[in-house]
Amino acid sequence: MNKIRRPIIAGNWKMHGTKKSVAHLLDVFKSKLNKDNLAEIIIFPPFIFIEQVANLLKSTPIQYGGQNMATALQGAYTGEISGQMLLEFGCRYVLLGHSERRSLFSETNEIVAEKFKLAHEIGLCPILCVGETLVERKEGRTEEIVTQQLESVIEFMGGVSALSNAILAYEPVWAIGTGVTATPEQAQEVHFFLRERIALYDTMAARNIRILYGGSVKASNAQLLFEMPDIDGGLIGGASLDAEEFFQINQAAGIQ
Ligand code: PGA
């Protein structure tokens, strides 16, 4: 990948796995990975497997993070996990605003912005997910929707300086878990749009931020997506549960 930004290959395991499958998946994946791997690899396991993952990834360059975090650092929030707890277990990253959090758990742009601010304050690097639904795309509202999702965070943060320790992920909702991938051109168009949007505030921030594509990325389509100039890697759901497939996706980020 002949680009100014180092690619990232992130695996979002969602609510999948057992202690046994986690050990197997990471053992196989680690055995394939080269020490000087081009892409940065970040794994997002369910919270309860984070300690196991941390142990399995000791002395490897593979990073890990939380799939979500609470809007508070501690307190009476039954069932929640705080960013502080993620840090204590060695996480450096947190996924925020994933479309499943937005649609199934009613996370609004305001809630996502609050979480983003908290992550930034405590030194966790957020991966902010944005993306339109199929209806919104058909209505021609893709740019409007991703702008709202991005701008609500920028406004709440008072500018784009916090984006220097953040990652963006464009995940069209219609492509997530459906087997339908955005074409490289469709994805590139939105990635370019997001970068231009950030450039309105700060051209360096726009140039430096990594924007991942997510939505049915597989070994068979990864390379063409990653070749696009504004696509800096992928956020992989289903295909990250298969060590060989995930490894092939990682390889695709190193081919160009
Ligand atoms: P998918 O999920 O790769 O299974 O489509 C992507 C995501 O939700 O992050």
Side-chain angles (χ1 to χ4, degrees):
M1 207 183 243
N2 182 23
K3 291 184 182 167
I4 46 171
R5 298 169 292 271
R6 187 177 178 202
I8 294 174
I9 300 297
N12 172 13
W13 291 354
K14 308 194 180 185
M15 198 174 72
H16 291 289
T18 61
K19 282 202 256 185
K20 198 171 161 205
S21 73
V22 165
H24 178 72
L25 174 52
L26 290 182
D27 280 346
V28 176
F29 186 70
K30 279 192 301 185
S31 71
K32 292 174 177 290
L33 203 65
N34 237 311
K35 276 213 158 19
D36 47 5
N37 193 57
L38 180 73
E40 246 174 277
I41 312 273
I42 314 170
I43 305 285
F44 292 92
F47 292 130
I48 201 157
F49 295 125
I50 284 179
E51 190 170 17
Q52 185 193 2
V53 166
N55 287 327
L56 288 164
L57 295 183
K58 250 182 214 144
S59 61
T60 78
I62 306 170
Q63 295 291 325
Y64 54 93
Q67 295 176 11
N68 177 35
M69 63 172 226
T71 48
L73 287 181
Q74 59 175 359
Y77 299 95
T78 302
E80 288 289 274
I81 300 282
S82 85
Q84 203 68 64
M85 295 169 183
L86 293 177
L87 280 175
E88 189 180 349
F89 283 81
C91 295
R92 285 173 41 194
Y93 300 88
V94 63
L95 285 183
L96 293 181
H98 188 279
S99 73
E100 285 149 21
R101 298 297 316 171
R102 294 179 189 265
S103 66
L104 303 172
F105 302 97
S106 313
E107 286 194 16
T108 59
N109 283 340
E110 290 67 34
I111 293 173
V112 174
E114 241 180 273
K115 292 184 177 186
F116 188 100
K117 186 157 189 278
L118 196 55
H120 180 69
E121 281 167 5
I122 65 174
L124 266 177
C125 175
I127 299 192
L128 173 66
C129 304
V130 301
E132 80 289 0
T133 64
L134 188 57
V135 172
E136 289 161 346
R137 172 163 283 262
K138 284 187 172 155
E139 289 171 355
R141 297 175 59 214
T142 299
E143 293 185 350
E144 175 200 333
I145 297 297
V146 298
T147 300
Q148 281 166 4
Q149 291 168 334
L150 175 65
E151 289 287 338
S152 57
V153 168
I154 294 175
E155 266 167 41
F156 197 71
M157 298 300 295
V160 292
S161 64
L163 294 184
S164 63
N165 186 34
I167 297 160
L168 269 183
Y170 169 57
E171 299 206 299
V173 179
W174 47 272
I176 296 178
T178 56
V180 182
T181 320
T183 64
E185 294 72 23
Q186 277 175 324
Q188 164 61 23
E189 202 182 332
V190 181
H191 283 233
F192 177 76
F193 173 80
L194 288 166
R195 210 179 286 290
E196 290 290 289
R197 192 80 208 176
I198 296 168
L200 294 177
Y201 296 86
D202 182 339
T203 50
M204 278 310 279
R207 184 173 170 269
N208 291 335
I209 193 162
R210 286 172 296 177
I211 310 179
L212 313 183
Y213 169 77
S216 297
V217 177
K218 303 181 265 269
S220 57
N221 59 26
Q223 197 190 332
L224 289 178
L225 285 161
F226 299 162
E227 272 172 9
M228 292 289 136
D230 289 295
I231 299 184
D232 306 308
L235 178 54
I236 328 294
S240 71
L241 297 168
D242 181 315
E244 176 61 32
E245 183 86 8
F246 192 52
F247 178 70
Q248 292 305 329
I249 294 170
N250 167 66
Q251 295 301 90
I255 286 173
Q256 292 86 43

